[in-house]
Amino acid sequence: MLGPPGTVDMEAEPEAAAALVALGLEPSASQLDVFKSRLHLLIDGNTSDFDTWVSLISSAEETSVNDIRVISLVYDTFLLEFPLCHGYWIKYAAHKARLCTYDDVVGVYEQAVQAVPHCTDLWVSYCGFAMSAYEDPALVRSLFERAMSLVGKDYLCYHLWDKYIEFENSQKQLIQLATIYINMLKFPTKKLYKYYGSFKKLVTSLEQEVTHCGAEISSENLHTSEAMESEESEGYISTKVARLFDQGGHLKPEVLKQYLFAGERFYQRSSELDKEICGFEASIKRPFFHVKPLDDDQLENWNLYLDFVEKNGDFDWAVKLYERCLIPCANYSEFWIRYAEYVDAKGGREIANYALGRASSCFVKGVPSFSMYYSMFKEQIGDAPGARALFVEGSSNSTSDFCMNINRLANMEKRMGNTKAATEIYENAIQDAMQKQNTEVLPDLYTNFAQFKYAASHSIGEAKEVFVKGIKQAPCKPLIKGFIQFMSTYGGSTEIPLLDSVIANAVIPGSGVSTALSLEDREDISLLFLKN
Protein backbone atom coordinates (compact mmCIF):
# COMPACT_ATOMS: atom_id res chain seq x y z
CA MET A 1 0.00 0.00 0.00
CA LEU A 2 1.37 3.41 -0.95
CA GLY A 3 1.58 6.18 1.60
CA PRO A 4 0.93 9.89 1.12
CA PRO A 5 2.90 11.71 -1.60
CA GLY A 6 6.55 12.18 -0.74
CA THR A 7 6.78 9.27 1.71
CA VAL A 8 8.83 6.11 1.42
CA ASP A 9 7.08 2.74 1.55
CA MET A 10 9.21 1.16 4.29
CA GLU A 11 8.06 -2.40 3.59
CA ALA A 12 8.62 -2.19 -0.16
CA GLU A 13 11.79 -0.09 -0.20
CA PRO A 14 13.83 -0.76 2.92
CA GLU A 15 17.09 -0.10 1.12
CA ALA A 16 15.94 3.33 0.03
CA ALA A 17 14.89 4.19 3.58
CA ALA A 18 18.18 3.01 5.00
CA ALA A 19 20.04 5.03 2.39
CA LEU A 20 18.16 8.17 3.43
CA VAL A 21 19.03 7.57 7.06
CA ALA A 22 22.68 6.99 6.12
CA LEU A 23 22.67 10.37 4.34
CA GLY A 24 21.23 12.08 7.39
CA LEU A 25 17.89 12.77 5.65
CA GLU A 26 14.79 11.90 7.65
CA PRO A 27 12.09 10.11 5.65
CA SER A 28 8.52 11.10 6.36
CA ALA A 29 7.76 7.68 7.79
CA SER A 30 8.05 7.25 11.56
CA GLN A 31 11.37 6.51 13.20
CA LEU A 32 9.95 3.16 14.25
CA ASP A 33 9.55 2.19 10.60
CA VAL A 34 13.02 3.46 9.81
CA PHE A 35 14.58 1.26 12.46
CA LYS A 36 12.46 -1.71 11.49
CA SER A 37 13.87 -1.36 8.01
CA ARG A 38 17.44 -1.06 9.24
CA LEU A 39 17.03 -4.11 11.42
CA HIS A 40 15.65 -6.11 8.50
CA LEU A 41 18.69 -5.17 6.45
CA LEU A 42 21.04 -6.13 9.27
CA ILE A 43 19.34 -9.45 10.00
CA ASP A 44 19.22 -10.35 6.30
CA GLY A 45 22.89 -9.48 6.03
CA ASN A 46 25.37 -10.32 8.76
CA THR A 47 23.85 -10.48 12.24
CA SER A 48 27.25 -11.23 13.78
CA ASP A 49 28.62 -7.80 12.83
CA PHE A 50 28.81 -6.45 16.36
CA ASP A 51 30.03 -2.97 15.41
CA THR A 52 27.03 -2.44 13.15
CA TRP A 53 24.70 -3.41 15.99
CA VAL A 54 26.39 -0.95 18.34
CA SER A 55 26.13 1.77 15.72
CA LEU A 56 22.42 1.04 15.32
CA ILE A 57 21.83 1.31 19.07
CA SER A 58 23.72 4.63 19.20
CA SER A 59 21.64 5.93 16.30
CA ALA A 60 18.40 4.94 18.05
CA GLU A 61 19.49 6.68 21.26
CA GLU A 62 20.44 9.83 19.35
CA THR A 63 17.35 10.15 17.16
CA SER A 64 14.68 8.55 19.35
CA VAL A 65 15.88 8.88 22.93
CA ASN A 66 12.32 9.40 24.23
CA ASP A 67 10.58 6.93 21.92
CA ILE A 68 10.36 3.74 23.94
CA ARG A 69 9.01 1.85 20.92
CA VAL A 70 12.22 2.43 18.99
CA ILE A 71 14.45 1.87 22.02
CA SER A 72 12.66 -1.40 22.86
CA LEU A 73 12.73 -2.62 19.26
CA VAL A 74 16.47 -2.10 18.89
CA TYR A 75 17.48 -3.39 22.31
CA ASP A 76 15.17 -6.42 22.21
CA THR A 77 16.51 -7.46 18.82
CA PHE A 78 20.13 -6.85 19.75
CA LEU A 79 19.89 -8.72 23.07
CA LEU A 80 18.25 -11.66 21.37
CA GLU A 81 21.39 -11.95 19.27
CA PHE A 82 23.88 -11.07 22.04
CA PRO A 83 22.18 -11.99 25.35
CA LEU A 84 25.40 -12.00 27.40
CA CYS A 85 26.10 -8.30 26.91
CA HIS A 86 25.16 -7.33 30.47
CA GLY A 87 26.06 -3.67 29.99
CA TYR A 88 23.36 -3.28 27.37
CA TRP A 89 20.79 -4.92 29.63
CA ILE A 90 21.65 -2.29 32.23
CA LYS A 91 21.37 0.52 29.66
CA TYR A 92 18.04 -0.89 28.48
CA ALA A 93 16.72 -0.95 32.04
CA ALA A 94 17.82 2.66 32.50
CA HIS A 95 15.80 3.68 29.42
CA LYS A 96 12.78 1.84 30.79
CA ALA A 97 13.24 3.58 34.14
CA ARG A 98 13.09 6.96 32.37
CA LEU A 99 10.12 6.25 30.17
CA CYS A 100 8.08 3.43 31.73
CA THR A 101 6.80 1.99 35.00
CA TYR A 102 8.71 0.12 37.68
CA ASP A 103 7.15 -3.11 36.48
CA ASP A 104 8.61 -2.54 33.03
CA VAL A 105 12.07 -2.04 34.52
CA VAL A 106 11.73 -5.22 36.58
CA GLY A 107 10.69 -7.01 33.41
CA VAL A 108 13.95 -6.05 31.70
CA TYR A 109 16.05 -7.03 34.70
CA GLU A 110 14.30 -10.37 34.97
CA GLN A 111 15.00 -11.10 31.32
CA ALA A 112 18.59 -10.05 31.95
CA VAL A 113 19.21 -12.34 34.91
CA GLN A 114 17.62 -15.20 33.03
CA ALA A 115 20.06 -14.60 30.18
CA VAL A 116 23.14 -13.91 32.37
CA PRO A 117 22.34 -15.29 35.83
CA HIS A 118 25.98 -15.42 36.98
CA CYS A 119 26.92 -11.81 36.22
CA THR A 120 27.75 -9.85 39.39
CA ASP A 121 27.52 -6.40 37.76
CA LEU A 122 24.02 -7.15 36.52
CA TRP A 123 22.85 -8.12 40.00
CA VAL A 124 24.48 -5.01 41.49
CA SER A 125 22.46 -2.87 39.10
CA TYR A 126 19.23 -4.81 39.69
CA CYS A 127 19.58 -4.68 43.48
CA GLY A 128 20.48 -1.00 43.32
CA PHE A 129 17.27 -0.35 41.42
CA ALA A 130 15.29 -2.40 43.95
CA MET A 131 16.74 -0.34 46.83
CA SER A 132 15.31 2.82 45.29
CA ALA A 133 12.05 1.36 44.00
CA TYR A 134 10.77 -1.10 46.61
CA GLU A 135 9.17 0.10 49.81
CA ASP A 136 9.25 -3.31 51.48
CA PRO A 137 12.79 -4.07 52.76
CA ALA A 138 11.99 -7.79 52.71
CA LEU A 139 11.64 -7.68 48.92
CA VAL A 140 15.03 -6.01 48.55
CA ARG A 141 16.64 -8.44 50.98
CA SER A 142 15.10 -11.37 49.12
CA LEU A 143 16.57 -10.11 45.85
CA PHE A 144 20.03 -9.78 47.42
CA GLU A 145 19.83 -13.34 48.72
CA ARG A 146 18.73 -14.59 45.33
CA ALA A 147 21.69 -12.83 43.75
CA MET A 148 24.13 -14.21 46.30
CA SER A 149 22.91 -17.74 45.70
CA LEU A 150 24.14 -17.36 42.11
CA VAL A 151 27.25 -15.17 42.31
CA GLY A 152 28.32 -15.54 45.95
CA LYS A 153 31.33 -17.62 44.89
CA ASP A 154 32.48 -15.14 42.26
CA TYR A 155 35.86 -13.68 43.23
CA LEU A 156 34.58 -10.23 42.18
CA CYS A 157 31.25 -10.42 43.98
CA TYR A 158 32.50 -7.90 46.55
CA HIS A 159 30.66 -5.26 44.50
CA LEU A 160 27.41 -6.97 45.46
CA TRP A 161 28.45 -7.50 49.10
CA ASP A 162 29.20 -3.77 49.34
CA LYS A 163 25.78 -2.92 47.96
CA TYR A 164 24.14 -5.37 50.36
CA ILE A 165 25.96 -3.80 53.33
CA GLU A 166 24.88 -0.36 52.15
CA PHE A 167 21.28 -1.51 52.14
CA GLU A 168 21.33 -3.15 55.58
CA ASN A 169 23.14 -0.15 57.06
CA SER A 170 20.31 2.02 55.79
CA GLN A 171 17.86 -0.32 57.50
CA LYS A 172 19.88 -0.32 60.75
CA GLN A 173 19.41 -4.06 61.07
CA LEU A 174 22.24 -5.33 63.26
CA ILE A 175 21.20 -8.98 63.00
CA GLN A 176 21.17 -8.77 59.19
CA LEU A 177 24.57 -7.07 59.18
CA ALA A 178 25.99 -9.72 61.47
CA THR A 179 24.76 -12.39 59.05
CA ILE A 180 26.31 -10.60 56.08
CA TYR A 181 29.66 -10.08 57.80
CA ILE A 182 30.10 -13.76 58.56
CA ASN A 183 28.78 -14.93 55.20
CA MET A 184 31.32 -12.72 53.44
CA LEU A 185 34.08 -14.82 54.98
CA LYS A 186 32.84 -18.18 53.72
CA PHE A 187 34.44 -17.86 50.33
CA PRO A 188 37.44 -15.91 49.02
CA THR A 189 36.84 -12.61 47.26
CA LYS A 190 39.15 -9.81 46.25
CA LYS A 191 38.20 -7.96 49.45
CA LEU A 192 38.45 -10.92 51.81
CA TYR A 193 40.98 -9.30 54.15
CA LYS A 194 39.00 -6.06 54.28
CA TYR A 195 35.83 -7.96 55.09
CA TYR A 196 37.63 -9.83 57.83
CA GLY A 197 38.54 -6.45 59.33
CA SER A 198 34.90 -5.38 59.20
CA PHE A 199 33.88 -8.62 60.87
CA LYS A 200 36.41 -8.08 63.67
CA LYS A 201 35.22 -4.51 64.22
CA LEU A 202 31.65 -5.72 64.53
CA VAL A 203 32.64 -8.41 67.04
CA THR A 204 34.70 -5.89 69.02
CA SER A 205 31.78 -3.50 69.24
CA LEU A 206 29.51 -6.32 70.37
CA GLU A 207 32.08 -7.49 72.93
CA GLN A 208 32.21 -3.98 74.35
CA GLU A 209 28.46 -4.03 74.70
CA VAL A 210 28.60 -7.37 76.51
CA THR A 211 31.36 -6.12 78.82
CA HIS A 212 29.41 -2.95 79.47
CA CYS A 213 26.55 -5.14 80.62
CA GLY A 214 28.84 -6.87 83.14
CA ALA A 215 29.31 -10.20 81.33
CA GLU A 216 32.59 -11.73 80.15
CA ILE A 217 33.53 -13.70 77.07
CA SER A 218 35.79 -16.59 77.87
CA SER A 219 38.43 -17.53 75.29
CA GLU A 220 38.55 -21.06 76.63
CA ASN A 221 36.81 -24.09 75.26
CA LEU A 222 36.19 -22.53 71.84
CA HIS A 223 36.62 -25.84 70.02
CA THR A 224 33.37 -27.32 71.21
CA SER A 225 31.56 -29.77 68.98
CA GLU A 226 28.81 -27.18 68.63
CA ALA A 227 31.27 -24.55 67.42
CA MET A 228 32.92 -26.96 65.02
CA GLU A 229 29.54 -27.69 63.50
CA SER A 230 29.12 -23.99 62.82
CA GLU A 231 32.05 -24.15 60.45
CA GLU A 232 30.10 -26.24 57.99
CA SER A 233 26.42 -25.48 58.51
CA GLU A 234 24.95 -22.30 57.05
CA GLY A 235 21.64 -22.97 58.75
CA TYR A 236 23.43 -23.32 62.07
CA ILE A 237 25.12 -19.94 61.62
CA SER A 238 21.85 -18.23 60.74
CA THR A 239 20.25 -19.68 63.85
CA LYS A 240 23.12 -18.54 66.06
CA VAL A 241 23.10 -15.02 64.62
CA ALA A 242 19.38 -14.78 65.23
CA ARG A 243 20.01 -15.81 68.85
CA LEU A 244 22.74 -13.26 69.54
CA PHE A 245 20.25 -11.28 71.58
CA ASP A 246 17.85 -12.54 74.20
CA GLN A 247 14.25 -11.44 74.49
CA GLY A 248 15.30 -8.45 76.51
CA GLY A 249 17.62 -7.27 73.75
CA HIS A 250 20.83 -8.26 75.56
CA LEU A 251 23.70 -10.02 73.85
CA LYS A 252 24.39 -13.62 74.81
CA PRO A 253 28.14 -14.04 75.49
CA GLU A 254 28.27 -17.75 74.64
CA VAL A 255 26.52 -17.23 71.30
CA LEU A 256 28.84 -14.33 70.46
CA LYS A 257 31.81 -16.56 71.25
CA GLN A 258 30.55 -19.20 68.83
CA TYR A 259 29.87 -16.52 66.22
CA LEU A 260 33.44 -15.23 66.55
CA PHE A 261 34.94 -18.70 66.33
CA ALA A 262 32.92 -19.57 63.22
CA GLY A 263 34.01 -16.36 61.51
CA GLU A 264 37.65 -17.03 62.34
CA ARG A 265 37.42 -20.53 60.91
CA PHE A 266 35.70 -19.31 57.74
CA TYR A 267 38.38 -16.68 57.26
CA GLN A 268 41.24 -19.12 57.79
CA ARG A 269 39.84 -21.56 55.28
CA SER A 270 39.03 -18.85 52.72
CA SER A 271 42.50 -17.34 53.12
CA GLU A 272 44.14 -20.65 52.28
CA LEU A 273 41.92 -21.07 49.25
CA ASP A 274 42.58 -17.50 48.17
CA LYS A 275 46.31 -18.22 47.98
CA GLU A 276 45.61 -21.05 45.56
CA ILE A 277 43.22 -19.24 43.22
CA CYS A 278 44.45 -15.65 43.22
CA GLY A 279 46.85 -16.44 40.35
CA PHE A 280 44.02 -17.78 38.21
CA GLU A 281 41.87 -14.76 39.02
CA ALA A 282 44.66 -12.29 38.27
CA SER A 283 45.11 -13.90 34.84
CA ILE A 284 41.48 -13.33 33.82
CA LYS A 285 41.85 -10.26 31.65
CA ARG A 286 38.36 -10.22 30.12
CA PRO A 287 35.63 -11.55 32.44
CA PHE A 288 32.84 -10.19 30.22
CA PHE A 289 31.44 -11.30 26.87
CA HIS A 290 32.73 -9.97 23.56
CA VAL A 291 32.64 -11.24 20.01
CA LYS A 292 36.41 -10.85 19.71
CA PRO A 293 38.29 -14.11 20.35
CA LEU A 294 40.29 -14.67 23.52
CA ASP A 295 44.03 -15.24 23.25
CA ASP A 296 45.51 -18.66 23.95
CA ASP A 297 46.80 -17.66 27.39
CA GLN A 298 43.29 -16.70 28.51
CA LEU A 299 41.82 -19.97 27.28
CA GLU A 300 44.58 -21.98 28.94
CA ASN A 301 44.06 -20.12 32.22
CA TRP A 302 40.36 -20.99 32.23
CA ASN A 303 41.16 -24.64 31.57
CA LEU A 304 43.69 -24.75 34.39
CA TYR A 305 41.32 -22.95 36.76
CA LEU A 306 38.55 -25.42 35.96
CA ASP A 307 40.98 -28.31 36.49
CA PHE A 308 41.78 -26.98 39.94
CA VAL A 309 38.17 -26.46 41.00
CA GLU A 310 37.07 -29.85 39.72
CA LYS A 311 39.78 -31.52 41.81
CA ASN A 312 38.69 -29.45 44.81
CA GLY A 313 35.48 -31.46 44.91
CA ASP A 314 33.01 -28.60 45.49
CA PHE A 315 30.38 -29.30 42.83
CA ASP A 316 28.48 -26.06 43.43
CA TRP A 317 31.66 -24.00 43.09
CA ALA A 318 32.61 -25.87 39.91
CA VAL A 319 29.21 -25.22 38.33
CA LYS A 320 29.40 -21.52 39.16
CA LEU A 321 32.93 -21.24 37.81
CA TYR A 322 31.86 -22.92 34.59
CA GLU A 323 29.00 -20.45 34.30
CA ARG A 324 31.44 -17.56 34.85
CA CYS A 325 33.80 -19.05 32.28
CA LEU A 326 31.04 -19.41 29.71
CA ILE A 327 30.43 -15.68 29.64
CA PRO A 328 33.76 -14.71 28.02
CA CYS A 329 34.14 -18.18 26.43
CA ALA A 330 30.58 -18.52 25.13
CA ASN A 331 31.67 -18.87 21.51
CA TYR A 332 33.98 -21.81 22.23
CA SER A 333 32.11 -25.10 21.88
CA GLU A 334 34.84 -27.03 23.69
CA PHE A 335 34.00 -25.26 26.99
CA TRP A 336 30.30 -26.07 26.66
CA ILE A 337 31.16 -29.70 25.96
CA ARG A 338 33.58 -29.82 28.89
CA TYR A 339 30.91 -28.36 31.18
CA ALA A 340 28.30 -30.88 30.04
CA GLU A 341 30.63 -33.85 30.47
CA TYR A 342 31.68 -32.71 33.95
CA VAL A 343 28.19 -32.18 35.37
CA ASP A 344 26.79 -35.26 33.62
CA ALA A 345 29.51 -37.41 35.21
CA LYS A 346 28.52 -35.98 38.61
CA GLY A 347 24.84 -36.81 38.17
CA GLY A 348 23.80 -33.41 36.82
CA ARG A 349 22.31 -34.57 33.54
CA GLU A 350 19.59 -31.91 33.59
CA ILE A 351 22.23 -29.19 34.04
CA ALA A 352 24.20 -30.64 31.13
CA ASN A 353 21.17 -30.79 28.84
CA TYR A 354 20.16 -27.23 29.72
CA ALA A 355 23.67 -25.91 29.10
CA LEU A 356 23.96 -27.66 25.73
CA GLY A 357 20.54 -26.33 24.77
CA ARG A 358 21.60 -22.76 25.51
CA ALA A 359 24.77 -23.19 23.49
CA SER A 360 22.97 -24.77 20.55
CA SER A 361 20.26 -22.13 20.36
CA CYS A 362 22.58 -19.14 20.42
CA PHE A 363 26.29 -19.19 21.11
CA VAL A 364 27.59 -22.03 18.93
CA LYS A 365 24.53 -22.37 16.76
CA GLY A 366 25.30 -24.00 13.44
CA VAL A 367 28.71 -25.37 14.45
CA PRO A 368 28.66 -28.87 12.91
CA SER A 369 30.94 -30.57 15.43
CA PHE A 370 28.88 -29.21 18.33
CA SER A 371 25.58 -30.23 16.73
CA MET A 372 26.98 -33.75 16.31
CA TYR A 373 28.07 -33.89 19.95
CA TYR A 374 24.72 -32.60 21.20
CA SER A 375 22.95 -35.10 18.95
CA MET A 376 24.87 -37.97 20.54
CA PHE A 377 24.04 -36.59 23.99
CA LYS A 378 20.34 -36.44 23.08
CA GLU A 379 20.50 -40.01 21.85
CA GLN A 380 22.16 -41.07 25.10
CA ILE A 381 19.37 -39.58 27.21
CA GLY A 382 16.68 -41.15 25.02
CA ASP A 383 15.52 -38.07 23.11
CA ALA A 384 15.35 -39.62 19.63
CA PRO A 385 13.56 -36.70 17.86
CA GLY A 386 16.01 -34.20 19.35
CA ALA A 387 19.00 -36.35 18.39
CA ARG A 388 17.72 -36.76 14.84
CA ALA A 389 17.05 -33.04 14.34
CA LEU A 390 20.46 -32.03 15.65
CA PHE A 391 22.23 -34.64 13.55
CA VAL A 392 20.52 -33.43 10.40
CA GLU A 393 21.40 -29.84 11.31
CA GLY A 394 25.04 -30.73 11.88
CA SER A 395 25.20 -32.68 8.63
CA SER A 396 23.61 -29.90 6.57
CA ASN A 397 25.99 -27.28 7.98
CA SER A 398 29.08 -29.35 7.27
CA THR A 399 30.73 -28.98 3.89
CA SER A 400 33.01 -31.96 4.50
CA ASP A 401 32.74 -35.53 5.74
CA PHE A 402 29.45 -36.01 3.91
CA CYS A 403 29.73 -39.79 3.75
CA MET A 404 30.86 -40.00 7.37
CA ASN A 405 27.83 -38.00 8.49
CA ILE A 406 25.47 -40.20 6.49
CA ASN A 407 27.08 -43.25 8.04
CA ARG A 408 26.74 -41.80 11.55
CA LEU A 409 23.13 -40.81 11.02
CA ALA A 410 22.20 -44.24 9.68
CA ASN A 411 23.95 -45.99 12.55
CA MET A 412 22.21 -43.72 15.04
CA GLU A 413 18.84 -44.78 13.59
CA LYS A 414 19.96 -48.41 13.77
CA ARG A 415 20.94 -48.06 17.43
CA MET A 416 17.47 -46.67 18.12
CA GLY A 417 15.92 -49.70 16.38
CA ASN A 418 14.97 -47.92 13.16
CA THR A 419 16.69 -50.12 10.57
CA LYS A 420 14.21 -49.12 7.87
CA ALA A 421 14.86 -45.44 8.46
CA ALA A 422 18.61 -46.10 8.36
CA THR A 423 18.26 -47.88 5.02
CA GLU A 424 16.26 -44.95 3.62
CA ILE A 425 19.02 -42.55 4.71
CA TYR A 426 21.54 -44.38 2.53
CA GLU A 427 19.11 -44.74 -0.38
CA ASN A 428 18.17 -41.05 -0.29
CA ALA A 429 21.80 -39.98 -0.07
CA ILE A 430 22.72 -42.15 -3.09
CA GLN A 431 19.77 -40.84 -5.08
CA ASP A 432 20.64 -37.25 -4.19
CA ALA A 433 24.28 -37.77 -5.20
CA MET A 434 23.19 -39.30 -8.53
CA GLN A 435 20.85 -36.39 -9.29
CA LYS A 436 23.52 -33.84 -8.47
CA GLN A 437 26.12 -35.88 -10.36
CA ASN A 438 28.25 -35.93 -7.24
CA THR A 439 29.95 -39.11 -8.37
CA GLU A 440 32.95 -38.72 -6.07
CA VAL A 441 30.92 -39.75 -3.00
CA LEU A 442 29.10 -42.68 -4.61
CA PRO A 443 31.78 -45.37 -4.05
CA ASP A 444 31.92 -44.63 -0.32
CA LEU A 445 28.14 -44.40 -0.05
CA TYR A 446 27.57 -47.76 -1.73
CA THR A 447 30.37 -49.44 0.22
CA ASN A 448 29.12 -48.08 3.55
CA PHE A 449 25.56 -49.03 2.65
CA ALA A 450 26.57 -52.60 1.80
CA GLN A 451 28.56 -52.97 5.01
CA PHE A 452 25.63 -51.54 6.96
CA LYS A 453 23.30 -54.05 5.35
CA TYR A 454 25.55 -56.91 6.37
CA ALA A 455 25.97 -55.58 9.94
CA ALA A 456 22.21 -55.13 10.33
CA SER A 457 21.04 -58.41 8.79
CA HIS A 458 24.14 -60.63 8.66
CA SER A 459 23.06 -61.37 5.11
CA ILE A 460 25.79 -61.53 2.47
CA GLY A 461 23.07 -61.57 -0.17
CA GLU A 462 21.65 -58.17 0.84
CA ALA A 463 25.10 -56.59 0.98
CA LYS A 464 26.00 -58.17 -2.37
CA GLU A 465 22.88 -56.69 -4.01
CA VAL A 466 23.95 -53.21 -2.94
CA PHE A 467 27.40 -53.67 -4.47
CA VAL A 468 26.06 -55.09 -7.72
CA LYS A 469 23.53 -52.29 -8.10
CA GLY A 470 26.18 -49.69 -7.32
CA ILE A 471 28.63 -51.07 -9.87
CA LYS A 472 25.93 -50.94 -12.53
CA GLN A 473 24.90 -47.37 -11.71
CA ALA A 474 28.30 -45.90 -10.90
CA PRO A 475 31.03 -48.18 -12.27
CA CYS A 476 34.44 -47.25 -10.88
CA LYS A 477 37.58 -48.92 -9.59
CA PRO A 478 37.12 -48.00 -5.86
CA LEU A 479 33.66 -49.57 -5.74
CA ILE A 480 34.70 -52.75 -7.52
CA LYS A 481 37.76 -53.07 -5.28
CA GLY A 482 35.45 -52.64 -2.27
CA PHE A 483 33.25 -55.44 -3.58
CA ILE A 484 36.23 -57.78 -4.06
CA GLN A 485 37.55 -57.07 -0.55
CA PHE A 486 34.11 -57.55 1.00
CA MET A 487 33.53 -60.87 -0.78
CA SER A 488 37.00 -62.16 0.07
CA THR A 489 36.31 -61.39 3.74
CA TYR A 490 32.71 -62.59 4.10
CA GLY A 491 31.88 -64.64 0.99
CA GLY A 492 32.27 -68.36 0.44
CA SER A 493 32.78 -70.70 -2.48
CA THR A 494 29.15 -70.35 -3.53
CA GLU A 495 29.70 -66.65 -4.23
CA ILE A 496 32.59 -67.20 -6.67
CA PRO A 497 30.46 -67.41 -9.85
CA LEU A 498 28.81 -64.05 -9.19
CA LEU A 499 32.12 -62.42 -8.36
CA ASP A 500 33.67 -63.90 -11.54
CA SER A 501 30.80 -62.48 -13.55
CA VAL A 502 31.13 -58.99 -12.09
CA ILE A 503 34.89 -58.89 -12.57
CA ALA A 504 34.63 -60.20 -16.11
CA ASN A 505 32.12 -57.51 -16.95
CA ALA A 506 34.54 -54.94 -15.57
CA VAL A 507 37.78 -56.04 -17.22
CA ILE A 508 36.80 -57.60 -20.59
CA PRO A 509 36.96 -54.92 -23.28
CA GLY A 510 33.59 -54.01 -24.77
CA SER A 511 31.51 -55.23 -21.82
CA GLY A 512 29.05 -52.93 -20.09
CA VAL A 513 31.09 -51.81 -17.08
CA SER A 514 34.51 -51.91 -18.73
CA THR A 515 33.67 -49.02 -21.01
CA ALA A 516 33.60 -46.74 -17.93
CA LEU A 517 37.05 -47.86 -16.79
CA SER A 518 40.48 -47.00 -18.05
CA LEU A 519 42.93 -49.71 -19.15
CA GLU A 520 44.99 -49.08 -16.02
CA ASP A 521 41.90 -49.45 -13.80
CA ARG A 522 40.99 -52.76 -15.45
CA GLU A 523 44.51 -54.10 -14.93
CA ASP A 524 44.49 -53.08 -11.24
CA ILE A 525 41.14 -54.80 -10.74
CA SER A 526 42.38 -58.00 -12.41
CA LEU A 527 45.50 -58.12 -10.23
CA LEU A 528 43.47 -57.54 -7.05
CA PHE A 529 41.00 -60.26 -8.05
CA LEU A 530 43.80 -62.75 -8.68
CA LYS A 531 45.41 -61.99 -5.32
CA ASN A 532 42.15 -62.61 -3.47
Side-chain angles (χ1 to χ4, degrees), residues 35 77 122 195 239 397 416 492:
F35 281 96
T77 312
L122 193 54
Y195 289 151
T239 300
N397 288 330
M416 294 189 294

Side-chain angles (χ1 to χ4, degrees), residues 190-346:
K190 196 172 183 179
K191 284 189 176 182
L192 178 63
Y193 183 74
K194 178 183 176 182
Y195 289 151
Y196 178 61
S198 299
F199 170 78
K200 292 287 286 184
K201 286 180 181 177
L202 175 66
V203 171
T204 299
S205 67
L206 293 175
E207 286 176 340
Q208 291 172 349
E209 182 172 338
V210 171
T211 304
H212 180 73
C213 294
E216 293 184 0
I217 299 178
S218 172
S219 60
E220 298 178 0
N221 199 29
L222 287 181
H223 294 273
T224 63
S225 60
E226 191 177 42
M228 289 300 291
E229 182 186 352
S230 68
E231 181 184 354
E232 304 298 335
S233 171
E234 293 188 18
Y236 183 87
I237 286 296
S238 299
T239 300
K240 285 300 176 186
V241 171
R243 292 174 53 198
L244 274 172
F245 298 89
D246 61 22
Q247 293 182 347
H250 302 296
L251 275 167
K252 298 178 181 178
E254 286 302 313
V255 178
L256 182 57
K257 178 179 67 175
Q258 293 163 11
Y259 174 79
L260 171 61
F261 175 72
E264 294 281 4
R265 293 289 293 172
F266 283 139
Y267 175 68
Q268 292 295 330
R269 187 172 60 185
S270 294
S271 295
E272 292 301 317
L273 193 54
D274 182 55
K275 293 174 185 177
E276 296 184 273
I277 68 172
C278 63
F280 297 124
E281 291 288 348
S283 296
I284 299 173
K285 305 302 181 185
R286 196 180 81 191
F288 53 87
F289 171 83
H290 202 282
V291 293
K292 293 179 180 178
L294 288 168
D295 59 52
D296 290 342
D297 289 342
Q298 290 282 285
L299 297 174
E300 179 66 10
N301 181 65
W302 278 115
N303 273 309
L304 292 173
Y305 199 175
L306 291 167
D307 288 343
F308 172 82
V309 174
E310 286 180 8
K311 291 175 183 176
N312 178 270
D314 185 335
F315 180 75
D316 181 64
W317 183 22
V319 167
K320 288 177 169 57
L321 185 66
Y322 268 108
E323 292 288 353
R324 273 185 67 197
C325 166
L326 285 167
I327 295 175
C329 301
N331 292 331
Y332 294 87
S333 59
E334 60 266 31
F335 283 97
W336 290 101
I337 292 172
R338 174 174 177 163
Y339 183 23
E341 291 185 342
Y342 169 75
V343 295
D344 189 39
K346 298 293 183 180

